[in-house]
Each structure stands twice: as structure tokens, then as C-alpha cells.
Amino acid sequence: MDRWVGRVALVTGASVGIGAAICRKLVECGLVVVGCARNVEKIRKLGEGLESAKGKLHAYQCDLSKEEEILTLFEWIKSNVGGVDVCINNAGFGDYGTLLGPEATVSAWKSMLDVNVIALCLCTKEAVNSMRERGVDDGQIIHISSLSGHRVPISPGNHFYSATKFCVRSLTEGHRQELRDLKTNIRVAAISPGFVATDFFVNALHSTSSNAESVTDLFSTMKPIDPVDVADSVVYILSTPPHVQVHDILMRPTQQKT
Ligand SMILES: NC(=O)c1ccc[n+]([C@@H]2O[C@H](COP(=O)([O-])OP(=O)(O)OC[C@H]3O[C@@H](n4cnc5c(N)ncnc54)[C@H](OP(=O)(O)O)[C@@H]3O)[C@@H](O)[C@H]2O)c1
């Protein structure tokens, strides 16, 4: 990880869960991390706990469903820390609902597409532009995808979410091909986890207490992946030598059958 010390990483969805774990790990490795999300206070608090670490965490408020806010984020990065060397597209969510039932709404589909797909595309485009205008040839893009981008889950409420992650899988290969066409050594990778112990499922099920109980029940049947395990995969990808391109890491809890 020595070559990344002092370099700049953008982590989206940094306020909680997997994104917060990735921020912590990268700051401990000595990177200058810009963590963004809507709940910026949580990122500030995370940064305060990392003041004695090798790197630094900058907290930035951004609603990734808004194009202008993403563009302003990249301007802020350029003016304040120089540019992006590593871009971790982690922000994402599921909005539980079937495809054909009454809860299937265009606004829910559009919201998931905005964050899980469009923001990921725009951040990647801006990050690659930032790398190329500064002559950075060894940058890294990482998309946090999902096992639901590799198989359609049996659970019907996740079908649209799953479709957004199939998009991410396709975009990972599209990004890889276009980076080769640009004759750059910038790399792109994805990480596709199964169940991770975060608030993701409670949020997807709209946080009611009975839903929270069903998530607790789910996790009582298996030991889920810890967000730190995903952060360790980010460090693995960054640690590989520049001639090695990791494409996609699929990881599930040992006890997860689906
Ligand atoms: N947990 C799992 O089992 C699991 C499995 C496979 C893949 N994943 C993927 O892993 C990624 C992280 O999920 P997680 O489990 O850590 O979920 P989480 O705990 O719910 O965190 C989601 C993050 O995304 C951010 N976010 C959501 N909408 C946003 C918006 N409009 N603008 C800015 N930030 C936004 C949230 O920040 P704010 O609310 O503060 O804006 C939060 O930081 C997602 O892409 C998810 O699809 C999770």
C-alpha cells in the first residue's frame, strides 16, 4: 500500500456501513480520503476518531441523486486536495418492492437508478478525467456491486435492486474496455458481496420494527460478512501490482446458501 500514501481517494456513501469501514481502512493506510454522503455529520465524527491515523478524512455533503452536487463535489476536490487517484463507488440502496405489485412505483425505480447506476457512472467519468488531466496512469476505480448482480435473488422484493447491480456488472466491463481504448493503465474492479452486517436491509424494508426483527432473524441464521471484510478486499485490490487487474471479487458468508 506504500504507493498510495498521501494519494487521494473518494469514497461515496461514507456515512455508515461498508463506506465508513472503507474510509477508516484507507485513512489508516495513509490515504487522504474524501468521504461523501447526505448525513455529513456522521462522516465528520468518523474523521474525529481518526485524527491520530496516518492519513486524513475530509467529510463532504453530497446527495448523489443530483448531478450538480456531484459536479460541485469534484470541483471541491480539485480546489482543496488536487484530484482523485482512487474512486470507490460504494453508495447504493434497495427499496423493497415487487416488480408487479402496488408498491412498484416509477419514483422508487428512478431513485435506485439515480444512486446505484447514474451516480456511479458520473463519479467514474469525473474521476477518470481528474486522473488523466493530472497525468495519473495508475488510478483505481472500485464499484461496490453485489451478488445480486450475478444471480437474481429468489426474494421478489429485490428484483429491481438486483437489476441495478446487473447494470453495475455490465458497466464494470464497459469501463474496463474504454480504459483500454484510452491506452491508460487506470484499472477498474468490482466487489460483489452477499449479506453484510449493515443497516442496508432494515432501510430497504423501510425500517419498521417488525422488519428490523426479520433482519435480526436472518442474521441469526448465519454469521454475515463484516463491513471490514469488504474494506480488506479494497486494500487487496489496491495492493496488487500495477500490471494485475482484479475484475470482480464475489464474497458471501460461508453459511449463506443463496
Ligand atoms: N449490506 C449488504 O448486505 C450488501 C450486500 C451487497 C452489496 N451491498 C452494497 O454495498 C453498498 C453499501 O451498502 P451498505 O450495506 O453499507 O448500506 P448502508 O449501511 O445502508 O449505507 C448506504 C450508504 O449509501 C449512502 N447513500 C444512499 N443514498 C445516497 C444519496 N442519495 N446520496 C449520497 N449517499 C447516499 C448512505 O448515506 P446517506 O444516507 O448518509 O446519504 C450510506 O452511507 C451499496 O452499494 C449496497 O448495494 C450491500
Side-chain angles (χ1 to χ4, degrees):
M1 286 295 281
D2 288 352
R3 75 184 167 100
W4 297 109
V5 172
R7 310 272 302 268
V8 176
L10 168 64
V11 179
T12 70
S15 55
V16 289
I18 296 170
I22 294 171
C23 287
R24 195 176 297 114
K25 188 68 84 174
L26 294 184
V27 171
E28 285 165 359
C29 290
L31 281 86
V32 176
V33 178
V34 179
C36 75
R38 292 164 302 180
N39 291 298
V40 72
E41 266 318 308
K42 289 185 179 168
I43 310 175
R44 280 206 190 100
K45 283 225 170 72
L46 181 63
E48 282 164 19
L50 290 167
E51 266 160 17
S52 58
K54 221 160 128 190
K56 184 174 170 53
L57 176 61
H58 294 273
Y60 188 94
Q61 186 167 39
C62 180
D63 182 344
L64 292 158
S65 65
K66 302 200 163 83
E67 179 181 353
E68 332 73 70
E69 292 199 20
I70 294 177
L71 296 176
T72 309
L73 159 69
F74 277 87
E75 281 163 22
W76 184 91
I77 290 174
K78 187 174 182 175
S79 312
N80 290 276
V81 288
V84 175
D85 301 307
V86 175
C87 175
I88 317 275
N89 289 305
N90 163 74
F93 71 100
D95 191 339
Y96 197 85
T98 61
L99 293 175
L100 303 177
E103 72 283 19
T105 64
V106 170
S107 69
W109 298 335
K110 282 187 173 169
S111 301
M112 279 185 271
L113 276 177
D114 278 344
V115 177
N116 300 5
V117 178
I118 307 289
L120 173 144
C121 281
L122 185 53
C123 288
T124 301
K125 180 183 168 195
E126 293 300 312
V128 170
N129 283 344
S130 168
M131 293 169 197
R132 296 187 81 226
E133 72 190 19
R134 291 174 301 120
V136 171
D137 193 46
D138 66 346
Q140 177 76 58
I141 310 288
I142 301 179
H143 302 326
I144 305 300
S145 185
S146 171
L147 276 188
S148 295
H150 290 269
R151 48 99 179 99
V152 180
I154 302 292
S155 151
N158 287 325
H159 287 159
F160 196 90
Y161 167 76
S162 169
T164 68
K165 294 300 187 179
F166 269 77
C167 275
V168 173
R169 181 172 163 200
S170 152
L171 291 165
T172 305
E173 175 59 7
H175 284 135
R176 191 192 70 78
Q177 291 180 17
E178 291 195 27
L179 286 167
R180 297 297 72 81
D181 291 343
L182 290 172
K183 307 260 179 281
T184 162
N185 289 309
I186 297 167
R187 304 178 298 180
V188 60
I191 301 175
S192 300
F195 294 126
V196 186
T198 70
D199 284 342
F200 176 89
F201 294 99
V202 176
N203 294 337
L205 293 161
H206 299 292
S207 310
T208 64
S209 59
S210 60
N211 284 333
E213 275 165 26
S214 66
V215 175
T216 310
D217 287 350
L218 169 71
F219 284 161
S220 71
T221 65
M222 71 179 85
K223 180 172 170 46
I225 294 172
D226 191 279
V228 171
D229 301 321
V230 182
D232 284 340
S233 293
V234 168
V235 170
Y236 166 70
I237 291 168
L238 290 170
S239 304
T240 54
H243 66 282
V244 175
Q245 146 115 15
V246 176
H247 189 75
D248 197 343
I249 296 179
L250 279 69
M251 55 196 299
R252 47 162 70 79
T254 306
Q255 294 160 332
Q256 181 178 339
K257 185 172 179 191
T258 55

